[in-house]
Amino acid sequence: MDKRNFAFDKVNFILLAVGMAIVVIGFLLMTGAGSSDTVYEPDIFSVRRIKVAPIVCLFGFVSMIYAVVRKPKD
């Protein structure tokens, strides 16, 4: 296949993979110890879970959108 037939180039795929990794890191930041009926963990209201992780995920989604929209150089 001719290289001109591809919509993405190597840089687009790298940016897409980096964006996906950032989103996964954001979701991992949202995880933590859970609560049960007998034990209450106040960690659910931590700044990391409520503010930092969603911002990291948003940054990852924006970078993935940029990777899709970016036009390859000729």
Side-chain angles (χ1 to χ4, degrees):
M1 265 182 119
D2 192 14
K3 193 173 184 178
R4 286 178 252 158
N5 291 337
F6 291 118
F8 291 162
D9 62 349
K10 184 178 180 181
V11 177
N12 287 78
F13 285 115
I14 291 172
L15 289 173
L16 199 59
V18 168
M20 183 59 103
I22 292 172
V23 170
V24 168
I25 289 170
F27 278 108
L28 289 176
L29 287 173
M30 283 187 215
T31 63
S35 298
S36 65
D37 291 336
T38 58
V39 178
Y40 174 71
E41 295 288 334
D43 184 43
I44 193 168
F45 300 113
S46 70
V47 174
R48 176 186 58 117
R49 288 174 122 181
I50 295 186
K51 293 183 181 176
V52 175
I55 291 172
V56 171
C57 287
L58 180 67
F59 181 70
F61 285 125
V62 168
S63 65
M64 286 174 34
I65 290 170
Y66 172 73
V68 170
V69 174
R70 180 185 171 275
K71 187 174 182 180
K73 305 237 192 251
D74 289 334

